[in-house]
Amino acid sequence: MDDFYYEGGALRCEGVALDEIARAAGTPTYVYSHAAIQRAYTELDEAFSGLDHLVCYAVKANGNLAVLRALASLGAGADIVSGGELYRAMRAGFDPKKVVFAGVGKTEAELMAGLGERILLFNVESAPELERLERLAARFGKRARVSLRVNPDVDAGSHDHITTGRERDKFGIPIEQALALADRAKQYRCVDIIGVHQHIGSQITKLQPFRDSVERSAGLVEELKTRGFDIQYFNIGGGLGIRYKDEETPTPKELVEAIRPTLEAAGTKILCEMGRFISGAAGVLLTGVVYRKKSGEKDFIVADAGMNDLLRPSLYDAHHEIRAVEQNGSVTGADLVGPVCESGDYLARDRELPDAQEGDLLAVMDAGAYGFSMASNYNSRPRPAEVMVSGERWSVVREREHYADLVKGELVPAFL
Ligand code: LLP
């Protein structure tokens, strides 16, 4: 079931016409479907049924408090990668006992914040990080629960920028070094190595990389257990892809069935930390057409949303479907570009697009993950509003920024 659909030629999100939201909230605006978030989370959660498990949501994909609250209420855990994400997760009401903290560069302040909240697990990515965690935990009289994030050296086959589990990537500890590190940690008094974590990349559309990496990491779970470590958690990471265009992606059920025997044999609680799968298809970016212009052979649709609002097309050449909010049936070969002063500022390039005219509305589909969370103020553009729809109701869940927000915290020194 699609939560974004046409009725009488008008694009809707659940029970609300997107045109109504655009008129009231303006554009550009992100619109999220509560039902779609719930459905994706539930599909994942049910795929793991029969296994002791916890689905964590990768906050980086979309950290809006309303999105987080919706997931926390469903019982989800949170996967965080910074002190800021910990702050968001706590504000949204996640149980700290369901929070896992990854990241190669956690600072002392961030480690301390995690210790302070008594989070479920630190996914430790290096020997110096483990040493620092021990020192801080000892100083503050805390215990740190630790998963070792291993780098299984498997190529997830996605875009180079978002592939994380190859030896040359900066993430995790090579499996061969993990055993030695765990052994060394035996002398630490305040850290308990109780888990193994991996995350090999994002927008993964094949099962084989999951199979291979889970198998390798499970080998480490077994080896650590043999050496007397009480391994209680195996975190298989996130990364399950979604269909942006015509990708054939495995379902959560297919993913879990492909690795179930390995997960069962591990004999631990299974964690996963999906972001895109949960929020990606649950959001669109509404944008208005400012101008149409022609330049030689090129036909441009100039929108009021640009790369600062949705960076994925510019950064990864990512494909997002473009739909007319009011269908008029005609299409045109054009580029959908934004107002930002860069030639790389586009939302769709050399594509068959709705023949939208000045004043028309377009929806950039599947923008619920890594959309607003990667938005910036480049070109001094206020970041867009965010809206959540639930059935017939909708609500602004983040106000559009004002010009005053652009200069917040800036100071002109006295010597000027
Ligand atoms: N866990 C860790 C440790 C991660 O680094 C990530 C994503 C996830 C989980 C969630 O991955 P997901 O299930 O969402 O694929 N900006 C890029 C995606 C970057 C992903 C970074 N890490 C994009 O727009 O495609």
Side-chain angles (χ1 to χ4, degrees):
M1 155 145 191
D2 198 346
D3 299 288
F4 295 91
Y5 62 97
Y6 283 104
E7 198 175 274
L11 189 59
R12 300 170 74 81
C13 173
E14 301 191 37
V16 182
L18 288 176
D19 162 69
E20 176 191 329
I21 295 175
R23 268 187 284 118
T27 53
T29 289
Y30 278 97
V31 181
Y32 309 128
S33 156
H34 183 215
I37 293 169
Q38 277 184 310
R39 183 166 314 107
Y41 170 79
T42 307
E43 188 181 347
L44 262 173
D45 192 44
E46 285 175 354
F48 285 93
S49 64
L51 290 158
D52 182 14
H53 71 278
L54 174 67
V55 173
C56 296
Y57 170 64
V59 172
K60 66 173 80 62
N62 183 334
N64 182 282
L65 287 181
V67 171
L68 299 184
R69 173 66 60 85
L71 288 159
S73 323
L74 290 168
D79 156 51
I80 59 165
V81 290
S82 70
E85 287 190 354
L86 177 60
Y87 176 78
R88 278 186 179 282
M90 294 299 98
R91 281 283 296 264
F94 276 100
D95 177 355
K97 288 275 157 333
K98 293 183 176 176
V99 171
V100 296
F101 194 169
V104 287
K106 303 180 199 77
T107 63
E108 279 203 5
E110 289 176 320
L111 292 171
M112 266 153 53
L115 286 171
E117 295 291 352
R118 299 175 190 278
I119 61 166
L120 179 64
L121 287 163
F122 290 90
N123 295 328
V124 166
E125 306 218 10
S126 66
E129 183 189 339
L130 191 64
E131 193 188 316
R132 183 174 289 182
L133 190 55
E134 158 71 10
R135 197 160 32 77
L136 291 172
R139 193 187 319 154
F140 294 101
K142 305 268 187 198
R143 291 205 79 78
R145 283 177 292 271
V146 166
S147 268
L148 294 181
R149 176 176 182 173
V150 296
N151 182 332
D153 193 19
V154 168
D155 189 344
S158 52
H159 190 285
D160 192 55
H161 291 8
I162 54 174
T163 295
T164 51
R166 300 162 301 190
E167 200 179 9
R168 66 172 182 276
D169 299 317
K170 70 179 175 183
F171 299 97
I173 302 160
I175 287 200
E176 323 73 74
Q177 290 175 26
L179 280 176
L181 181 59
D183 278 336
R184 182 147 28 110
K186 278 186 175 156
Q187 43 166 330
Y188 291 161
R189 288 177 302 117
C190 300
V191 300
D192 298 315
I193 311 259
I194 57 170
V196 169
H197 170 235
Q198 65 155 45
H199 171 77
I200 57 168
S202 196
Q203 184 55 13
I204 304 169
T205 56
K206 299 271 179 298
L207 285 175
Q208 202 56 41
F210 281 113
R211 276 200 202 96
D212 293 345
S213 59
V214 164
E215 191 108 325
R216 283 190 203 172
S217 302
L220 180 66
V221 172
E222 200 184 316
E223 186 63 36
L224 284 169
K225 280 184 163 181
T226 312
R227 296 193 185 197
F229 290 92
D230 181 20
I231 303 299
Q232 302 164 30
Y233 299 93
F234 179 20
N235 183 342
I236 64 167
L240 183 58
I242 63 170
R243 176 183 295 200
Y244 285 102
K245 190 180 176 190
D246 50 12
E247 303 91 331
E248 290 293 332
T249 57
T251 62
K253 199 165 172 2
E254 285 164 350
L255 166 62
V256 176
E257 290 320 310
I259 55 177
R260 188 178 283 270
T262 317
L263 300 183
E264 276 169 354
T268 63
K269 183 161 183 159
I270 303 300
L271 308 179
C272 77
E273 44 189 37
M274 300 293 174
R276 189 188 318 263
F277 185 83
I278 294 174
S279 60
V284 302
L285 173 61
L286 281 182
T287 179
V289 176
V290 190
Y291 297 111
R292 284 291 294 265
K293 73 179 258 185
K294 273 199 188 284
S295 180
E297 288 303 290
K298 289 289 265 193
D299 194 357
F300 293 103
I301 303 174
V302 185
D304 62 8
M307 65 190 290
N308 73 296
D309 304 298
L310 177 65
L311 184 59
R312 304 193 71 256
S314 303
L315 191 57
Y316 313 116
D317 203 19
H319 179 101
H320 287 261
E321 284 300 321
I322 309 294
R323 292 198 202 164
V325 169
E326 301 287 340
Q327 272 176 321
N328 70 7
S330 54
V331 291
T332 180
D335 284 12
L336 177 62
V337 300
V340 172
C341 300
E342 301 238 3
S343 296
D345 174 32
Y346 67 94
L347 298 171
R349 199 143 66 169
D350 290 326
R351 294 250 300 269
E352 188 103 309
L353 296 173
D355 193 10
Q357 305 301 320
E358 208 174 297
D360 288 351
L361 293 168
L362 294 169
V364 184
M365 307 307 292
D366 305 306
Y370 307 107
F372 188 92
S373 64
M374 293 174 77
S376 77
N377 291 122
Y378 186 42
N379 275 205
S380 279
R381 290 170 46 79
R383 285 180 299 170
E386 293 175 285
V387 160
M388 185 180 277
V389 176
S390 185
E392 312 276 300
R393 291 174 299 174
W394 65 273
S395 180
V396 172
V397 294
R398 190 182 214 274
E399 289 174 13
R400 181 179 312 288
E401 284 180 338
H402 301 285
Y403 289 152
D405 296 319
L406 296 175
V407 291
K408 183 165 175 264
E410 290 181 30
L411 299 168
V412 179
F415 54 76
L416 291 180

